[in-house]
Amino acid sequence: MTGLEKIVSQILDDANKEAETILAKAAAQSDAILKKAQEDCGKMEEDCSRRSEETKKAYMERIHSSAQLKKRQAILLAKQQVISDMLDKAYDRLLNMEDSQYFSLVEKMVDRFALAKSGEICFSNKDLGRMPADFEEKIRKAAARRGGELSLSKKSCPIDGGFILVYGGVEENCSFKALLNAQRDELSDRIHSLLFP
């Protein structure tokens, strides 16, 4: 082998050794990069899985909370409907009382609401038609007990039951509907406490 061939051979051997060293380093680096990538992927999968579980849990809690709210609203609505139905039935019972009971109640109402003034009392057309003959006198006596004076209006007023008192152009609505509406909240509370203790 000539001197040149030895030099070339030496250079090739050195180059091969250098290439093997570079390849070994590259293989080691690629293994390290691959291992790190696998670890990072594992951590990302765990993190993603944890976040997904947390999101799922939060979503389920929101669904449960929403369902509970809708349930409470439905129960409240049902209770309000029951109370409203009871008040409507009470109103219907007042309107459909037997005449003697009805006018006895109206007399008690006059005793309660009449003022110590001179005025007029107005009834519905239906009540004027079924009013007992002595009821006008009972109205006068009830008003007198309160220190006032009431005369029966011959004109009917547009109410279903009860009456309207008129004192000098000022009306006091004592119809069943007006009295029930004025006491609706209090009556609703009483009914609620009786039905849903």
Side-chain angles (χ1 to χ4, degrees):
M1 204 190 270
T2 66
L4 183 61
E5 289 176 347
K6 280 186 182 182
I7 293 175
V8 170
S9 176
Q10 182 66 35
I11 291 174
L12 285 175
D13 284 343
D14 288 345
N16 282 336
K17 285 180 187 175
E18 182 78 26
E20 285 176 16
T21 304
I22 291 172
L23 284 174
K25 276 187 181 179
Q29 283 180 340
S30 81
D31 286 346
I33 290 171
L34 186 59
K35 185 177 179 185
K36 174 93 168 90
Q38 287 172 339
E39 288 173 2
D40 288 349
C41 281
K43 286 179 183 176
M44 288 171 64
E45 282 178 7
E46 286 175 17
D47 190 46
C48 189
S49 176
R50 182 184 48 78
R51 276 189 276 153
S52 175
E53 197 58 40
E54 287 172 359
T55 301
K56 178 182 169 186
K57 185 179 177 184
Y59 181 71
M60 292 306 288
E61 286 174 357
R62 283 195 307 273
I63 288 175
H64 180 72
S65 178
S66 177
Q68 290 297 318
L69 177 63
K70 286 181 181 177
K71 178 182 174 185
R72 285 192 304 272
Q73 288 173 335
I75 289 171
L76 179 62
L77 188 63
K79 285 179 179 180
Q80 289 172 338
Q81 187 61 49
V82 167
I83 291 169
S84 180
D85 289 347
M86 289 192 73
L87 289 173
D88 290 345
K89 285 179 184 176
Y91 177 71
D92 288 340
R93 284 184 69 189
L94 285 171
L95 293 179
N96 295 311
M97 291 173 89
E98 189 232 46
D99 288 354
S100 63
Q101 288 179 316
Y102 179 87
F103 285 102
S104 175
L105 174 64
V106 169
E107 183 180 352
K108 289 175 187 172
M109 289 171 60
V110 172
D111 265 335
R112 180 174 176 200
F113 294 111
L115 300 177
K117 294 180 178 181
S118 181
E120 189 176 53
I121 188 168
C122 179
F123 290 92
S124 70
N125 197 35
K126 177 185 174 185
D127 287 352
L128 287 173
R130 65 180 180 154
M131 188 176 286
D134 65 338
F135 194 69
E136 190 171 353
E137 184 58 32
K138 288 182 179 181
I139 292 169
R140 283 193 187 101
K141 287 180 182 176
R145 284 192 292 272
R146 301 280 293 178
E149 191 178 305
L150 282 176
S151 62
L152 180 63
S153 173
K154 300 305 177 197
K155 293 190 302 183
S156 64
C157 51
I159 58 173
D160 292 330
F163 53 87
I164 293 178
L165 296 172
V166 182
Y167 293 102
V170 176
E171 293 184 357
E172 184 174 345
N173 190 343
C174 298
S175 68
F176 294 150
K177 186 173 280 300
L179 295 174
L180 276 173
N181 285 339
Q183 297 293 317
R184 191 167 199 88
D185 289 342
E186 183 181 332
L187 291 171
S188 293
D189 290 345
R190 282 187 189 171
I191 293 169
H192 186 274
S193 66
L194 291 172
L195 293 179
F196 312 107

